[in-house]
Amino acid sequence: MSPVYWEMVGALAALLTMFGFVPQILKIMRTRSVEDMSLPMMYQFSLGVFLWLLYGIYLHNRILIVANLVSLACFVAGIALYFRYRSQKAGQQEPAGGAS
Amino acid sequence: MSPVYWEMVGALAALLTMFGFVPQILKIMRTRSVEDMSLPMMYQFSLGVFLWLLYGIYLHNRILIVANLVSLACFVAGIALYFRYRSQKAGQQEPAGGAS
């Protein structure tokens, strides 16, 4: 297969994973519930994605750079939402059979 | 900085992100609760990571290949756990002030 085809595969991969956490962010904003989310998961991804970003800069690979910049922003947003709704939760009683 | 140093940055990035979903999987296994998890998020990451794997094979980049193989396994495990505990949840009433 031609290099152009493979660059499209890489670009599609980058698009999907760079915005991969967006559905989770939208769900958190909708339900305002983060009880089942793992904070260490978001920390670990944030640090890992930051190092991928540095590695992408070293390789001069634009796909790695842009993809991991966006991913990092998504995970940081997830962490911010976690603390926003986590602390909210602590101050209120969860209703029986809460949001599905 | 030397190329060896940068390869270590890439390897550490790969280690962190390839196992990035593991804390979430452990939390699901502990709480048996997946209500706040986004299934589209896990589908999107799985497909994206699969395409990164193909792109890594094209580039002959071992870090991309191994990292995305492990990531894919983690997200598939997450999806399996989601359906396991999601269907369990449907058959029982959630207690007030459920697991934190």
Side-chain angles (χ1 to χ4, degrees), chain A residues 17 24 33 35-37 52, chain B residues 17 24 27 33 35-36 52:
Chain A
T17 55
Q24 183 66 63
S33 177
E35 295 306 296
D36 297 334
M37 296 301 301
W52 269 125
Chain B
T17 55
Q24 183 66 65
K27 177 159 185 173
S33 177
E35 295 306 296
D36 297 334
W52 270 123

Side-chain angles (χ1 to χ4, degrees), chain A residues 36-78:
Chain A
D36 297 334
M37 296 301 301
S38 165
L39 185 60
M41 176 271 282
M42 291 188 286
Y43 281 148
Q44 189 170 329
F45 267 122
S46 296
L47 180 58
V49 156
F50 176 71
L51 293 180
W52 269 125
L53 175 63
L54 297 183
Y55 189 60
I57 291 169
Y58 163 67
L59 292 179
H60 297 95
N61 183 311
R62 279 190 210 169
I63 289 178
L64 275 178
I65 294 169
V66 175
N68 287 294
L69 261 182
V70 175
S71 287
L72 185 58
C74 290
F75 285 112
V76 168

Side-chain angles (χ1 to χ4, degrees), chain B residues 19-73:
Chain B
F19 295 109
F21 208 59
V22 169
Q24 183 66 65
I25 289 172
L26 295 178
K27 177 159 185 173
I28 294 174
M29 292 177 78
R30 200 172 66 242
T31 63
R32 301 183 178 208
S33 177
V34 294
E35 295 306 296
D36 297 334
M37 296 301 300
S38 165
L39 185 60
M41 176 269 283
M42 290 188 285
Y43 281 147
Q44 188 170 329
F45 267 122
S46 297
L47 179 58
V49 156
F50 177 72
L51 293 180
W52 270 123
L53 174 63
L54 297 183
Y55 189 61
I57 291 169
Y58 163 68
L59 292 179
H60 297 94
N61 183 310
R62 279 190 209 168
I63 289 179
L64 274 178
I65 293 170
V66 175
N68 287 294
L69 262 181
V70 175
S71 288
L72 185 58

